[in-house]
Amino acid sequence: MHRDRPRYVIDRPAYNLTDFDREFDKKSRQFPVGEKVKKLFRYRIAISPHSQHELQVFPSRKLYLLTSFVLCSNSPVAMKFSRAVDFFTVTTIKSELFKEFPLFVSVRCSVLRLKGLLFRHLPVLSWLPKYKVKDNLLCDVISGVSAGTIQVPQGMAFALLASLPPVNGLYSSFFPLIPYFFMGTAHQMVPGTFAVLSIMVGIVCLRLAPESDFSHFNATLNSTIVDTDRMNEVRLGISGTLACLTAIIQIGLGFMQFGFVAIYLSESFVRGFMTAAGLQILISVLKYIFGIQVPPYSGPLAVIYTLVDIICGLPDTNIASLVFALVSSIVLIVAKELSARYRHKLPFPIPMEIIIVVVATAISGPLHLPEIYHMDIVGEIPLGFPAPILPTVNQWEDMLSTAFSLAIVGYVINLAMGRTLAAKHGYDVDPNQEMLALGCSNFLGSFFKIHVICCALSVTLAVDNAGGTSQFASLCVMLVVMVTMLALGAFLKPLPKSVLGALIAVNLKNTLLQLSDPYYLWKKSKLDCCVWVVSFLATFFLSLPYGVAIGVGFSILVVIFKTQFRNGSAMVQIMDTDIYKNPKVYSKVVSITGVKIVNYCSPLYFANAEIFRQRVIKKTGLDPGKLILARRKFLEKEQKQKTKEENKENETRRRKPSSLANMKTISQLELQIDFEMNDGSASKPEPPTSYVNFHCSDIEPGEQAPDQEPPSPTLVSQPMPFHTLILDLAGVCFIDLMGIKVLIKMNSSYTMLGIKLYLANVQAPVYEELEVGGAFDDGNIARSNLFLSVHDAIVFAQQTTGERRVSPTAERARQELAFNINEKKDLEQEMF
């Protein structure tokens, strides 16, 4: 049984947009340029009714200087009202306040705005005074220490991906945390090394400082020797220079309020990019796991060359390195699965990474396994803080594209994790402040030989799962790394690199599981699936920087494709309602005689303007351009035929002179016909509005006129299939000059055929764009042809149908005049 639905009855006149604006007194919202400039520097001052002395200052724009006003009154009378005063100068506000209130006004330069800026750019000032030491400090310390034990081995492992010495990972896990502690807005975030960024940095290091530049032939040993220390020092300088350039880009984008750039990176692109990068990382660490020597590659297809060399080098696998890697992987996978299953019962995550590193080092060092089995080890880790260096600015030109990719990709990863944490714990993340915080973190670290960092995912998740609530947890992570740098690093010398490779490979599990994304995306959105596949293939085969550019470009093309090829639909009236829907979707519909309705759900701009016109032609079944062209050709042919007949008639008259009366009668009839057809114009004659019929002639079937050409196209005199076309533009959110030009051209074409073009549901921004674009100038589109709704347009169309019916001769003369007047104008519009 159907539930009773409420009903409503509306009795109002049908409005076009012009009448509606006039009747309800539409306000002008246009501001002169001078007013707009003044508004940027205008403040509003309001006297609060809640307190006698309280004054609230509301800046209308975010400015860096603010003047506050302190009202002092000796009268205890409380104010019962609120008053806002606009002002530009001190004199103005003083005079206005003295006029209205018997108050003493003192004006002083305020620290309110400065305080606001400090709180905005140094969020630590907001949360630190409210920090609950008794409730949160213990959890932050425990979570930070446990996450720090993950940060140390992970940082050293990711330094290997960047083709840098392991100590670089410790530098990258320490110095960037200092600025982020003060500037970060994500409370549980821990900056650090990230595998994707590490491998992008490694590409630059290999390109600018290849191993061949540091190799020399040793005649004594009869072999090629690589100066590893010198190579590592040069690459550390390149890494710091790249981090400095990336930081400058991020800081610049942050000050430009460019945080919205993240919206152009769709989730499908990010997942495809991350999956391809994870697969590249896995291939890159296989040489450490198997203990084989593989020459470094960079550029397109580098991962393929690396994979081929690894496969060819499998017979030379170092068995000891492989055993260390396999045992470490198995232990870490089992420990992670057990921790995930029993995470609610554990007070903090088990730091299996540091346990594996300690045990592997304890086994490898005392037993002298690296010397016996020739394993590749971490080697000497210099203790203490590194000496500051200056970036090599002349190298920025060679790394600009990669730096921009690093800035964007690192920011997107950081922001994605920050928003996830903010949604979970109920606070807000400022995108622009995150860009600044990340840029400042990279900038400080660039002077201490770090490589570009962003959010350390596994470390951040460890802090969050252990109950960390603030940046004190990242401070504890930093302390653990510092202790390793100052004292414990010397004990990590015999650690096999295959163990670090195993840690990286196991942590890629979730990333590699995203290889199944296309299967699910294809069911939900084929275009998103294409974005994922293109991003994955471009990143995997062409390297990470190319993958970013191609993936973003293809994502933008997909957006254009979605807006470009939207399919408009014809609309009819739902029975006994003022609702108009697609007849292919609903059954109980009624067609309006003589009226065609077409809607379009996409912006109308240069990429789809012509497609929109073709959609309208397809839905209405009438192409005005072709019909007008055929009519012009018909007129030309008719004129030639008439001229030919007149010549024959004149020649006949010369041969057989007729009576003067007969000639006079014929001349009067011709003049009368010409006058009726031309209506005072000198244009060519034209038959009434009709279709073009390519299969009809004046000759009956079976008859053949002597000395006559084959049948040619003629105009069959019959009415148009509709007298009004209504375009429902409710789904059009913006329109550019090409879209306006197409609407003007359509209006001109349909008007020449005697068809009215109405626009319904035009949004306010679109109306302003039409007005500025000249749609209503020179009689292009009448403002009275715009309606509030489709039903309003229908009512007007039905009411004015009879008014537009005129005599065939007058209509013919009007259309003929329109053809000749607009022929040159149409050509000009085609050219400009």
Side-chain angles (χ1 to χ4, degrees), residues 169-178 385 478-479 481-482 485:
L170 299 179
Y171 299 158
S172 303
S173 302
F174 175 76
F175 292 103
L177 274 67
I178 300 173
F385 296 113
M478 184 173 62
L479 293 177
V481 177
M482 184 179 67
M485 290 170 54

Side-chain angles (χ1 to χ4, degrees), residues 709-773:
E709 296 177 359
S712 60
T714 60
L715 261 60
V716 180
S717 182
Q718 64 181 25
M720 281 290 164
F722 55 92
H723 55 74
T724 303
L725 172 62
I726 301 174
L727 299 180
D728 182 8
L729 303 184
V732 178
C733 59
F734 78 88
I735 184 170
D736 69 352
L737 290 178
M738 281 295 296
I740 294 173
K741 176 182 174 181
V742 165
L743 285 180
I744 293 174
K745 184 176 180 180
M746 291 174 63
N747 180 74
S748 175
S749 301
Y750 284 113
T751 301
M752 287 159 58
L753 297 177
I755 298 174
K756 279 285 186 181
L757 178 65
Y758 290 161
L759 307 180
N761 290 320
V762 179
Q763 306 297 324
V766 177
Y767 179 82
E768 293 177 2
E769 289 164 350
L770 288 171
E771 189 172 30
V772 174

Side-chain angles (χ1 to χ4, degrees), residues 9 93 100 116 184 246 288 297 315 331 384 400 410 552 583 601 615 650 668 746:
V9 178
I93 187 61
E100 301 295 336
T246 304
Y288 299 114
Y297 297 99
V331 172
L400 182 60
V552 172
C601 301
R615 290 281 190 271
N650 292 335
Q668 287 178 348
M746 291 174 63

Side-chain angles (χ1 to χ4, degrees), residues 516-527:
S516 61
D517 282 356
Y519 175 76
Y520 301 102
L521 286 175
W522 185 259
K523 297 179 180 179
K524 298 179 180 180
S525 174
K526 292 179 174 56
L527 287 178

Side-chain angles (χ1 to χ4, degrees), residues 22 77 101 155 343 366 662 719 821:
R22 185 186 305 113
V77 179
F101 310 104
R343 63 180 179 275
N662 188 30
I821 291 176

Side-chain angles (χ1 to χ4, degrees), residues 12 14 573 577-580 760 788-796:
R12 66 168 177 84
Q573 186 179 22
T577 67
D578 61 345
I579 302 171
Y580 297 84
L788 298 178
S789 67
V790 174
H791 196 66
D792 286 298
I794 291 290
V795 174
F796 265 84

